[in-house]
Amino acid sequence: MDLICLIGTIAVILVLGFVFVIFIEAYRRRNNHQHIEVPAIFEDPNSLKQVPCPHVVDPASKYISLIIPAFNEEYRLPGALEETMIYLQQRASKDPSFSYEVVIIDDGSTDGTKRVAFEFVRKYTVDKVRVILLGRNHGKGEAIRKGMLHSRGELLLMLDADGATKITDLEKLENQIRAVAKKDGDSSGSDPSFRISDTPVVVFGSRAHLEEKALATRKWYRNFLMKGFHLVVLLAAGPGVRDTQCGFKMFTRAAARKLFSNVRLKRWCFDVELVFLCKWFRIPISEISVNWSEIPGSKVNLLSIPNMVWELLLMSVGYRIGIWRISNST
């Protein structure tokens, strides 16, 4: 009996200690949405002059911005980026009102990613392609946040550097955003001053339609871990989104302004935090199926899952007990 009491006491101490650690870490990250000490600077490699840096609170000056986080993507980035630029150029040639920019965020790469990115700036000019250097690795969430905050588009699309999702699928997300924005912002369609950028709307690309095939081909333990992660996501952010982790998401400028001024998670689970914040701000979220293929070289592995669960615990504690305060001033 004494042994059982001792074990029970130790278990209670461990649980309380774990809860205390979560609380302290959540408190430590309470101002993470204000971090990154290095200001965003765009440099024109042709003239070596610094380019004025826009902010998401400024009026849009492009129709769409594509935000591409890159960490050690020297080999995967060129093919995906070339395909993206060809698509954007072709669309601009057909529609003179279609203006765009691609913002590449080098998240502290140690390979030739920076060189590759600046080659595209030289080829397409700094007005079309821009590079933000974070200096050291902060995580995908911070890289995307930085790109979103310093983009010029009415619409802002985040996409992965590997080109796993077909770039043409942005039109699916774009059409859905337009449908929702017109319904919520200008139901009559008669307001000449209506701009799509002014209505907060978010559309997530989704691979949920591929889940059945993935379950059949993945190892049983990977399926077990993924199902467990999905359960934790459900508990942390609530229902409504089947695929939170697809790297293909589109935001109106108004939505990006609210969301990315508040995001605190730096790495993989910032997507789940976006879902939580969308619900808090009552920003409508849609899911649209996209064409997706597995590209070798993914940075996510089984060891990433414990870190992702840890971030979700921090998020749940931070928001639910009020340590992480949400700003609605933008």
Side-chain angles (χ1 to χ4, degrees):
M1 183 65 69
D2 290 341
L3 180 60
I4 294 175
C5 290
L6 178 61
I7 293 173
T9 301
I10 292 174
V12 170
I13 292 173
L14 289 174
V15 170
L16 291 176
F18 183 64
V19 171
F20 179 74
V21 169
I22 292 176
F23 178 85
I24 292 299
E25 182 63 16
Y27 181 79
R28 189 180 70 83
R29 298 193 190 192
R30 68 193 185 282
N31 294 322
N32 259 18
H33 61 305
Q34 300 172 351
H35 73 66
I36 288 284
E37 61 283 353
V38 181
I41 296 173
F42 295 116
E43 185 178 278
D44 185 349
N46 293 317
S47 65
L48 298 181
K49 293 182 179 179
Q50 292 185 1
V51 177
C53 185
H55 197 277
V56 73
V57 299
D58 301 329
S61 58
K62 297 284 184 182
Y63 174 67
I64 191 167
S65 297
L66 279 66
I67 317 300
I68 304 178
F71 175 64
N72 291 344
E73 295 288 359
E74 177 183 4
Y75 299 107
R76 299 198 300 177
L77 181 62
L81 200 50
E82 191 62 50
E83 181 181 346
T84 297
M85 296 306 298
I86 290 172
Y87 165 79
L88 294 171
Q89 286 183 315
Q90 289 177 344
R91 189 163 167 187
S93 67
K94 296 175 183 176
D95 180 4
S97 67
F98 181 81
S99 57
Y100 63 89
E101 68 171 347
V102 175
V103 181
I104 306 164
I105 306 89
D106 182 358
D107 188 21
S109 298
T110 56
D111 64 355
T113 298
K114 174 182 174 181
R115 173 185 54 78
V116 169
F118 275 114
E119 284 175 359
F120 277 85
V121 181
R122 291 187 184 94
K123 182 177 180 180
Y124 293 100
T125 77
V126 74
D127 183 58
K128 295 289 193 296
V129 182
R130 297 184 166 191
V131 179
I132 297 177
L133 304 175
L134 295 190
R136 62 181 177 86
N137 180 253
H138 290 272
K140 181 180 179 180
E142 178 57 34
I144 289 174
R145 176 180 177 271
K146 197 70 169 178
M148 289 283 176
L149 291 179
H150 299 290
S151 299
R152 295 175 287 171
E154 291 187 60
L155 299 177
L156 295 89
L157 175 75
M158 57 173 266
L159 64 163
D160 291 335
D162 59 4
T165 305
K166 287 292 183 184
I167 187 60
T168 52
D169 278 0
L170 77 81
E171 294 176 28
K172 296 181 181 179
L173 277 60
E174 178 187 359
N175 291 337
Q176 179 64 16
I177 275 199
R178 284 193 162 279
V180 175
K182 286 184 177 180
K183 178 181 177 182
D184 292 352
D186 179 23
S187 57
S188 66
S190 59
D191 184 358
S193 64
F194 171 76
R195 295 189 68 181
I196 191 172
S197 59
D198 296 335
T199 304
V201 184
V202 176
V203 178
F204 282 18
S206 176
R207 304 159 298 179
H209 60 295
L210 304 173
E211 183 64 18
E212 185 175 338
K213 181 179 179 181
L215 286 171
T217 57
R218 279 198 303 247
K219 298 290 186 182
W220 69 269
Y221 57 84
R222 289 178 65 91
N223 287 330
F224 176 77
L225 289 171
M226 289 308 299
K227 288 293 184 182
F229 176 71
H230 289 158
L231 176 61
V232 176
V233 169
L234 183 65
L235 295 174
V241 178
R242 294 178 63 194
D243 182 8
T244 59
Q245 302 309 113
C246 180
F248 204 72
K249 298 179 175 71
M250 186 176 285
F251 308 81
T252 60
R253 194 169 186 82
R257 188 180 301 129
K258 289 176 178 290
L259 297 173
F260 290 96
S261 297
N262 283 287
V263 164
R264 287 170 170 84
L265 295 181
K266 302 179 188 179
R267 298 195 179 273
W268 305 112
C269 283
F270 77 98
D271 305 82
V272 183
E273 188 179 7
L274 288 174
V275 174
F276 179 90
L277 289 170
C278 280
K279 292 182 177 182
W280 194 90
F281 283 116
R282 296 187 177 180
I283 297 174
I285 309 176
S286 304
E287 272 191 285
I288 298 294
S289 297
V290 294
N291 295 298
W292 183 89
S293 55
E294 186 83 40
I295 306 294
S298 172
K299 307 294 191 303
V300 181
N301 53 51
L302 291 178
L303 296 178
S304 304
I305 293 181
N307 293 324
M308 295 166 82
V309 172
W310 171 248
E311 283 199 331
L312 291 179
L313 289 172
L314 292 177
M315 186 193 85
S316 296
V317 170
Y319 282 122
R320 284 181 168 81
I321 68 176
I323 300 175
W324 294 6
R325 301 195 177 189
I326 300 174
S327 171
N328 197 17
S329 59
T330 54

